[in-house]
Amino acid sequence: MVIVVHGGAGRVAPELEEAVLEGVAAARDRGWRVLAGGGSAVEAAVAAVAYLEDHPLFNAGTGSALNRQGFVEADAAVMDGATLGFGGVAGVRDVKNPIRLAREVLDAEPVLLAGEGASLFARERGIPAYDPAALVTERALERWREARRRKVRGSGTVGAVALDARGRLAAATSTGGLVDKPVGRVGDTPLVGAGTYAEAGLGAASATGEGEYLARALVAFRAVAGLAELGPEAAARRALERARTLGGEGGLILLATDGRFAAVHTSPQMSHAWRSPKGEGAALS
Ligand code: GLY
């Protein structure tokens, strides 16, 4: 069994480093508890990501980056490597935990639900409407104002990859997207193989960073496919280099079917945490 989580690419202010590391470690522990209790890789990855969605310091769920009009439009996805099942949601405005909605989509026929349709589906599945204003934190507002003043676009995203006791692999990712993004913009996170991918016999990957470039490079799929010939570190690096040649920075967590894993980034920093039978840790590298 293995779980690896990330708390997003991008620079972390020194005064927040400790809290960010505690956050990814706690998310890892949530996921590990599911695995240790006999739960599936999908449920473990979703539990880890849901924890980070509820943590206001991370760009997903509560605390998400705000779009150009100052509200949250969330993207999330989960993929089950055993079945190649995929559940994605995009541009969701009124759900507390978008990853739990993506988990519901995984069990339904569509691969990706967007906007109003995603909200309707949430209600059908018993996920209540959540006040969009409650997703907006003071910190996210500050970052949004700063982004608009300086015309810069911070990113960040959270994700998890897991290998369960039965050898099944899963990947889950959730994000508010880029700060000050156009209304309706969808990033790499909920697109199959772009920000989220898992395939039995190969591996599972969750990406973070500049979605337009990560999507065009299909980084998550590229990294997982690369495991057929390379180790996790080299496969992740090669996938991210492809995005960099297009002009974008980011990070990846990549878990191979044999339990080896890597956390690699071309962005200035990325927080991550891991646990396997060999040990556990958390790092901001
Ligand atoms: N990587 C997250 C996004 O660009 O939306």
Side-chain angles (χ1 to χ4, degrees), residues 230-259:
L230 299 170
E233 169 102 21
R237 211 162 276 294
R238 188 170 73 178
L240 284 173
E241 278 309 318
R242 189 73 190 99
R244 183 144 71 175
T245 60
L246 297 173
E249 291 182 342
L252 269 173
I253 49 174
L254 178 62
L255 171 61
T257 190
D258 63 5

Side-chain angles (χ1 to χ4, degrees), residues 28 65 103 117 155 206 230 232 238 263 267:
R28 169 204 66 203
R103 173 69 188 85
S155 66
S206 170
L230 299 170
R238 188 170 73 178
S267 55

Side-chain angles (χ1 to χ4, degrees), residues 75 156-157 175 177-178 185 187-189 208-211 214:
D75 301 338
T157 288
T175 189
L178 300 182
R185 176 265 189 192
D188 58 302
T189 296
T208 168
E210 297 177 285
L214 301 175

